[in-house]
Amino acid sequence: MSYPRRTATLASAAALAGSAVLLAAPAARADVVDVDYRCQTPIGVKSAVSPIDIRGVRSGSGYRITMSWQKGVSSSPVELGKGAMTPSATIRLGGADGGTLAVSGPANAAAIPADTPIKISDLSGTYTPRKSGKVTFTAGTLTIKALGTTTTCTPANSPEPSLTLAVTAAGGSSSPSSPGSSGSSGSSGSGGSSSARQLPQTGPEDSVVALGTLGGTVLLTGAAGALWLTRQGRTARR
């Protein structure tokens, strides 16, 4: 193989190596999971299956967690006027952390006709990691308050997690928490405040940056090696 062709081959290999490193960067895993809700309403038990999507976005010292329903659950025998229904829910934490995360959202923006599945608005809360590792987020109990009544919906099919995040706790600690500390502390609904502890700027996004830097280093190293071989070839031909 000629030296110019060998140089081009090495440069291409270095570029591919850098790209492979970037593609291997870890990302949060999210799945839409069907949840079979059994709702205890003022007029009896109702059931409905809704696909649940949970997303997480880095926000300050924690993560903004948003829970979305793709189908309505339960229903009301009477029309619910605008602003008459207020939803909230819990998300079960698993993996490296435990307990629950409270999420809440706005009241219904439009009237809901009688005997119509109630579409739940997106519910959000702030999660502040207390332990490092992969944390799972699974749909928990849904609570609907309307016209002075409360409807409680619980998953009846033991759903799988809708989201898995690789997180780092404040100080990078990965040791187990003390007994009783795995409740809902360190997290809050959309109207609450997050923990005052500062989370180091690490996590999925920062891993991407670090691996991107590594990929760039591989690329530059390959290019330098190709340049050296080119110069060696020229010297040999002289």
Side-chain angles (χ1 to χ4, degrees), residues 58-179:
R58 192 66 178 267
S59 177
S61 60
Y63 294 83
R64 189 67 173 171
I65 305 298
T66 300
M67 186 178 188
S68 301
W69 277 258
Q70 296 187 6
K71 290 183 180 179
V73 297
S74 190
S75 62
S76 171
V78 299
E79 179 182 78
L80 298 178
K82 177 181 178 181
M85 184 273 296
T86 304
S88 62
T90 60
I91 296 175
R92 292 188 292 109
L93 306 177
D97 208 342
T100 59
L101 169 69
V103 291
S104 59
N108 56 307
I112 302 173
D115 300 317
T116 301
I118 298 174
K119 179 66 172 69
I120 306 299
S121 60
D122 288 355
L123 307 183
S124 299
T126 300
Y127 168 66
T128 302
R130 294 161 296 176
K131 298 170 68 177
S132 299
K134 290 185 178 180
V135 178
T136 60
F137 298 78
T138 305
T141 301
L142 168 67
T143 301
I144 301 172
K145 294 186 177 182
L147 305 178
T149 66
T150 299
T151 294
T152 302
C153 302
T154 55
N157 62 333
S158 301
E160 294 294 321
S162 295
L163 174 67
T164 301
L165 280 179
V167 302
T168 302
S173 172
S174 59
S175 59
S177 57
S178 59

Side-chain angles (χ1 to χ4, degrees), residues 35-39 46-50 71-75 117 154:
V35 179
D36 182 8
Y37 277 106
R38 179 164 297 178
C39 302
K46 293 180 178 292
S47 298
V49 176
S50 177
K71 290 183 180 179
V73 297
S74 190
S75 62
T154 55

Side-chain angles (χ1 to χ4, degrees), residues 32-57:
V32 177
V33 178
D34 288 338
V35 179
D36 182 8
Y37 277 106
R38 179 164 297 178
C39 302
Q40 186 66 51
T41 76
I43 59 173
V45 177
K46 293 180 178 292
S47 298
V49 176
S50 177
I52 301 296
D53 176 29
I54 300 178
R55 302 180 305 277
V57 178

